[in-house]
């Protein structure tokens, strides 16, 4: 069984910063891509940023230049640093991990989500 645990959400004022972190645990053989998605009320879940094993990153246009995704391969942890936050960034943020489990099957794993609220 694999669990994905996120941390770091909360309330921040417009223009402020927050950092999220996520680490999977359990029966994992190896991790491929890691990513952050978000879902605002009444909207579909959208990709925020992703990072591959070799560090190649991809960002949604709406967060380019403000958010930074990074990963620590030694500790199987992915981070999302969010700067210059805007009210439009308010959403539940989900960590996604594409990993190979102990029977070598590739699976998509999701965290439970962490709330980020940008408000004055």
């Amino acid at each position: 069984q694999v669990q994905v645990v996120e941390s770091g959400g909360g309330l921040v004022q417009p223009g402020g910063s927050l950092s999220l972190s996520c680490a999977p645990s359990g029966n994992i053989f190896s991790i491929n891509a890691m990513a952050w998605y978000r879902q605002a009320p009444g909207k579909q879940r959208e990709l925020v940023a992703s990072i591959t094993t070799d560090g190649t990153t991809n960002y949604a246009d709406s967060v380019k230049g403000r958010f930074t995704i990074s990963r620590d391969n030694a500790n199987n942890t992915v981070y999302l640093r969010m700067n210059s936050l805007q009210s439009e960034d308010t959403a539940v943020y989900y960590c996604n991990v594409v990993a190979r489990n102990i029977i070598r099957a590739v699976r998509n794993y999701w965290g439970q989500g962490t709330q980020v609220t940008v408000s004055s």
Side-chain angles (χ1 to χ4, degrees):
Q1 189 173 354
V2 175
Q3 288 186 320
V4 178
V5 179
E6 302 130 333
S7 62
L11 173 64
V12 64
Q13 292 186 343
S17 299
L18 274 178
S19 291
L20 307 180
S21 64
C22 163
S25 62
N27 299 324
I28 292 178
F29 176 73
S30 64
I31 295 176
N32 298 338
M34 305 178 87
W36 289 95
Y37 287 73
R38 68 186 180 186
Q39 187 167 18
K43 295 188 176 181
Q44 290 188 333
R45 190 174 298 189
E46 63 175 358
L47 175 68
V48 175
S50 64
I51 185 167
T52 62
T53 304
D54 65 2
T56 301
T57 58
N58 180 52
Y59 295 93
D61 288 342
S62 59
V63 307
K64 282 181 182 177
R66 301 188 298 121
F67 290 12
T68 302
I69 189 171
S70 60
R71 64 189 283 175
D72 178 350
N73 289 330
N75 293 301
N76 290 340
T77 303
V78 64
Y79 305 94
L80 185 68
R81 176 65 177 176
M82 303 181 291
N83 295 326
S84 302
L85 283 160
Q86 306 164 358
S87 57
E88 298 77 35
D89 298 314
T90 295
V92 177
Y93 284 69
Y94 296 92
C95 179
N96 173 263
V97 176
V98 179
R100 195 176 297 274
N101 60 23
I102 58 172
I103 62 170
R104 311 298 194 263
V106 177
R107 293 288 183 266
N108 218 0
Y109 299 101
W110 291 91
Q112 79 285 355
T114 186
Q115 178 70 46
V116 172
T117 302
V118 184
S119 175
S120 55

